[in-house]
Structure formats: structure tokens, C-alpha cells
Amino acid sequence: MTGSTRSVPDTGALRAFLDACPTPWHAAETAAGLLDAAGFEAQALEAPFDATRRRSYVRRGGSLIAWQTGEGANARTPMRIAAAHTDSPGFRIKPRPESVVAGAVRLGVEVYGGPLLNSWLDRDLGIAGTVLVGTGSALEIRPVIDSDALLRIPQLAIHLDRSVNDTGLKLDRQKHLPLLWGLDDGSGDFTSYVAELAGVAASQVRGWDLMPFDLTPARVCGRQGELLASARLDDLLSCHAAIEALVQTESTDEVTAVVALVDHEEVGSTSSTGADGTFVPQIIERIASASADGERNDFLVAMASSHAVSLDMAHATHPNHPERHDPGHTVLLDGGPVVKHNAQQRYATSLASMAPFLAACDAADVAVQHFVSHSEMPCGSTIGPALGSGLGIGVVDVGVAQLAMHSVREVCGSSDHGRLSRALTRYLSQT
């Protein structure tokens, strides 16, 4: 950049990942592709794990768990786990979405998680997700994506709401959020469109899990390239940093390195592939017990020395709203990974549980920040408490600082992803 005195980090791989992952399914698929390229092998959930495959992963829907073991590892080898979530706040298109008002065809949506609704207005939106097609025993789920500017949520003109800038925008989820899809010319229905995307006849479409996504690509911004703006930074940045760290981690007999990318965090994590279900604990136990002589007591011994880092984006102190933050805990964009604290255990961090991550940051020469909420404002939560309670291990909650969390377009420091990846690379191999 002209006049820049700052070294702009190479964020190309991260930006490519962000742009390729409009849905949790695509995030898991893209992560699997990165692991394939690095020599990891997919293992089937329906069969016993092959312990001789030292670099492996499993997938279910929008979730993926990958691991790397040393040749001398056994059922009692402790684990270092880096976990993040693949979903982001937004919308899901309803099963019977179409309605026509004033000649315009609209698609009804449900709100998913807690998005900043106003940030979705007046944006070019595509469609992505999965479709259930076929009949009887031939039913299958197919991924789809359409990156054309198909959808919009148009704002009401200020002439028709002259007080909006003074009283604030209020959106009714049922009335004001349907997506403008086109004009009513009788050219076809939404099911026919989905069938064309999936490559089947309309009669073969049995259901869908589809969502709109912002078409603006991730990009470096700021006067000296010190910022990164993108959709779905929360929490795809963490997912990519974890996968990148696992790929770069050298195997050791002392610990088994694990990355868990799970779905449904934004709606509570209670699902068959969420952090508060049995998916993660079951896979972790199966990894530990894959050797022929592994027994459950060995797994419990392994867990006694295991540890996890829960990765989720963190709040930077907002320069336009500093009063919303604790004045003693300023968190800077591009200031290094943030350790999150909460006395009510909304975050899992404790003195003991943050020690392994701090040690990794020290070894990687990565500065650490600390976040605690303003005492009059309750914080959100993460997958950390669910991991800690489900596995009975120490967990520290960590994230990269960002602004505009849960907006369709979020922003963070452009160097913090690299710092987090370096720290995780150290963490995943340390004893």
C-alpha cells in the first residue's frame, strides 16, 4: 500500500478459506481438503479406527475431528485439543418459503443464532447449503452453492420512515426479513430452482438446509493493511488457524494432537454434531482406545493429563463505544490472542487451565491479552464449558479480537491469525 511502513502479512490462505466456506458443511469439506493435501486420511465413523493411520480425520455434516499420533503413542497418551465452531449467525430458508407481495417473490427465513439483523440489509446474497434428494433407500444429501447475486433484503426508504436515524431501526423477523428473490413472472418455483442446483428433477427434492450468504469477498483493509474484513470470521478464522497448526505440528509420542471443528455453537451446541452432544467425547475416546490393548480405564488415565483450547473470536474494545467495555481490560485489534475470563463459568478459563496455552504463547513469542466483560453486561458463551464438562479436562477459552461480532461483515487485525496459528502449533505438541 502507498506510504505503508507496516509489513502486511500474507492472509491469502485464510481469505480463500473464508470465501470457500459459506456454510458449516462447506467449512468441514474445505478443512478436509486441506488435511487431504497434507497427507491426512479419512476414517469411517461406522468402522473401528485404524490405529496405524497416524494422521486421520472423521466428518459428520458440518463437523470434523482430526488427529495426529506418534508411533509410540498408546491408549494412555494425553491429548492436546484445539476446538472451534463452523457455524455463524445468519438465516435459514424455510421449508415452504415462497410468498408474493406487490408482484415481488420473497423467500421466508428463520433467524439462526444472534445475527446483527441490520447488517444484512441491502447486500448481494447468494445461496448455499445441502439438499436431500431421491426416494426410498436412494436418498442422499448433496451440497449446493450459487454465488450469483440472487437475494436481497431491501431497506425501507427514509422518506417512509423519517425517524429511523433518531429512534433506531426495528426489524420484525416475520415481516421484514423475507428475502427478495425476484418478480412474479410465473417462470418457476423455488423447489424447481433447488432441483436445478442439485442436478435432479423437482420431484426428487425432499428437503433442504439452505442459507443466504454475503457475496463480498474477504479482504485486507486499513491504511497499512493492518485489518482484515470478512463474513464469518466468527469462527472460521479459528477453524483455519487450528487446521493450519495441526498440519504444521510434528508428531510426538508424548501427546496426541487433536482438532475438533463442531457445528451449532451459535444455537447452543446441543445437537448430534455440537460440542454439548456425544460426538466429540465419543470420537476422543475412540482415538485413545484405537490400539488393540486400549481399555476404558486407559482412556480415563489419558484424560487426566489432557487439555483443550476452546477457540472463538473475542471482543476488541470498540473505539466508538469504549464505555461498553471494562476500563481495566482494554483489548486491542491485532494485539495478540485473547484469553477470556468469566466468574460464572460462561468461559472455561481457570488459573490451571490457562497455563498450558500461556506456555505455548511464551515459546512462540506471541503476546497475550485478557478479556473480562463490563460488570453490567453479561458475556456470551463458547464451546469451552461443554468440552470441559463432557471430557472432564481443563479448558481455556481463547480468541482473536474483532469488532462487529455477529455482523454479516466483521473485522479483525490482519496479523492475529498468524500469531494464533503459531501459538497453537506449539500447544499441540507440548507436554
Side-chain angles (χ1 to χ4, degrees), residues 375-389:
S375 295
E376 288 294 329
M377 296 181 184
C379 68
S381 190
T382 67
I383 62 175
L387 289 175
S389 62

Side-chain angles (χ1 to χ4, degrees), residues 2 30 90 121 144 173 184 193 212 236 245 254 263 265 294 341 372:
T2 303
T30 304
L121 304 181
V144 297
R173 287 165 171 76
D184 186 20
Y193 162 77
L236 293 184
E254 303 302 316
D263 201 354
E265 187 274 345
H341 305 262
V372 66

